[in-house]
Amino acid sequence: MNDFLNKTFKWTYKELFETTFAALITAFAINVFIVPNNLYSSGFLGLSQLIRTFLFNILNIKSTFDISGFISLIINIPLFIIAYKHTNKVFCFRTIYTVIILTLFLSIIPVPNTPVLDSLSTMVLIGGLITGAGSGIILSNSSTTGGTELLGILVSIKNKNISVGKFTLIFNICLFSVLGLLYGYVTMIYSVLFILIQSYIVDKLHKQNICTEVMIFTKEKPSKIIDFSRKVLKRDSTYFDASGGYLFSKTYITIIVCTEYELEILEENIDELDPNAFLIKLDGVNVKGNFEKNLTK
């Protein structure tokens, strides 16, 4: 089993559990807090829910479970092919797994006949927070729930100024504009509120999309740190000589700009690289210019 995970997904058991659990809470939030209020999810799943409504109400098709997950899976198949061509195979396999397991959870988690809370605003808030957290965890494990998240990854790779959250927000505003024409402004407004909360949480949790500046102070020349940054993180670094203000001893300061995900890798290995080093980090820095986003690693 461990060999299969390493070869196909390059996941640890912890990452597999996190991704599966994130898909579970995402499906739970959608089925329990969003669907009972006749609201719609975002992205391809929202489109699938519209198709489901059409099949149920117009064509009078009946089902004992919510079929929107299976519709979304079918719509995602062309995106899997695009992702296979334009991203690495491991990322594509991870996304396929996530979409399939999310579809399964959406199908087996029952949808309440009536809303579980009286306040629609509260249900939208809870649903947005939970689904945003689930999507953020999935993205941080280098996977997606398909649909607009996968498209957002592809667009963000090409355009550094567009994050996954921003892309899904723009896409879904267009989707919900159509929804408003079909089902009224109340449904549209609360659905948009739901995806605004969701998109905000996604951008806060998507570690590969958060840029970080780290300064590393060492007493020895930072050759191992620079080599690690270049070979493992695939990031350049800058170092310069300095003097300590306490003993006026020689000090080296190395500056690396990377993502929060890459910083975690550096922090895990810093003791081996230099046990006497210490780090200062600044999260959420704005980066312009030639900075590659490694969103699928």
Side-chain angles (χ1 to χ4, degrees):
M1 179 64 178
N2 194 42
D3 289 340
F4 176 75
L5 285 177
N6 289 332
K7 291 179 181 179
T8 306
F9 302 106
K10 293 187 177 179
W11 266 337
T12 62
Y13 283 114
K14 176 177 177 291
E15 291 169 330
L16 177 63
F17 172 79
E18 288 178 348
T19 303
T20 305
F21 178 74
L24 173 62
I25 63 174
T26 298
F28 172 81
I30 291 172
N31 280 6
V32 174
F33 295 104
I34 302 304
V35 176
N37 288 290
N38 295 318
L39 299 180
Y40 290 81
S41 185
S42 57
F44 278 28
L45 182 57
L47 177 61
S48 301
Q49 290 170 333
L50 283 173
I51 295 174
R52 174 210 60 200
T53 302
F54 173 80
L55 294 175
F56 283 6
N57 296 341
I58 307 300
L59 301 182
N60 200 29
I61 295 176
K62 303 296 182 182
S63 175
T64 56
F65 61 92
D66 194 336
I67 64 171
S68 59
F70 283 99
I71 297 173
S72 178
L73 176 61
I74 294 172
I75 297 175
N76 270 287
I77 291 176
L79 280 184
F80 294 154
I81 298 173
I82 296 173
Y84 189 83
K85 292 181 179 180
H86 295 280
T87 63
N88 62 73
K89 294 180 181 179
V90 172
F91 172 76
C92 184
F93 290 144
R94 288 175 174 177
T95 295
I96 292 173
Y97 168 81
T98 304
V99 173
I100 291 175
I101 200 69
L102 178 61
T103 299
L104 176 63
F105 288 142
L106 286 170
S107 301
I108 63 177
I109 296 176
V111 177
N113 294 324
T114 58
V116 294
L117 298 174
D118 294 332
S119 173
L120 179 57
S121 299
T122 302
M123 294 190 70
V124 168
L125 175 61
I126 296 173
L129 290 173
I130 295 177
T131 57
S135 296
I137 294 170
I138 289 169
L139 286 167
S140 294
N141 282 327
S142 297
S143 182
T144 74
T145 56
T148 50
E149 284 184 2
L150 185 52
L151 279 175
I153 289 286
L154 297 173
V155 171
S156 188
I157 290 173
K158 298 294 183 180
N159 190 328
K160 299 179 177 66
N161 294 320
I162 300 179
S163 68
V164 176
K166 289 179 181 177
F167 175 82
T168 55
L169 177 61
I170 294 171
F171 182 95
N172 289 317
I173 286 176
C174 296
L175 173 66
F176 289 127
S177 295
V178 176
L179 182 66
L181 294 174
L182 294 175
Y183 298 105
Y185 71 91
V186 174
T187 298
M188 179 190 71
I189 289 174
Y190 278 102
S191 295
V192 169
L193 178 61
F194 163 64
I195 62 109
L196 283 172
I197 298 170
Q198 182 189 51
S199 298
Y200 177 79
I201 299 300
V202 166
D203 271 352
K204 291 299 180 182
L205 294 180
H206 187 193
K207 297 176 183 178
Q208 289 92 328
N209 205 48
I210 302 174
C211 296
T212 300
E213 178 186 358
V214 56
M215 300 176 65
I216 308 169
F217 295 78
T218 58
K219 294 299 182 182
E220 302 293 333
K221 197 169 183 178
S223 302
K224 291 183 179 180
I225 295 173
I226 293 171
D227 192 52
F228 181 86
S229 177
R230 184 178 65 254
K231 293 182 178 179
V232 179
L233 305 183
K234 309 300 181 183
R235 297 296 183 189
D236 198 2
S237 57
T238 301
Y239 84 94
F240 52 90
D241 299 346
S243 296
Y246 185 69
L247 297 175
F248 296 98
S249 57
K250 191 174 185 62
T251 300
Y252 297 92
I253 302 176
T254 305
I255 299 176
I256 303 172
V257 178
C258 58
T259 66
E260 188 173 299
Y261 176 81
E262 293 160 346
L263 175 59
E264 289 182 356
I265 298 174
L266 175 62
E267 289 175 329
E268 290 173 358
N269 292 272
I270 192 64
D271 288 341
E272 182 178 344
L273 297 172
D274 190 329
N276 297 314
F278 73 92
L279 290 76
I280 297 176
K281 61 180 180 178
L282 179 62
D283 293 333
V285 296
N286 292 321
V287 178
K288 301 292 183 182
N290 187 25
F291 182 82
E292 183 179 358
K293 288 185 176 182
N294 299 320
L295 298 177
T296 62
K297 296 181 181 179

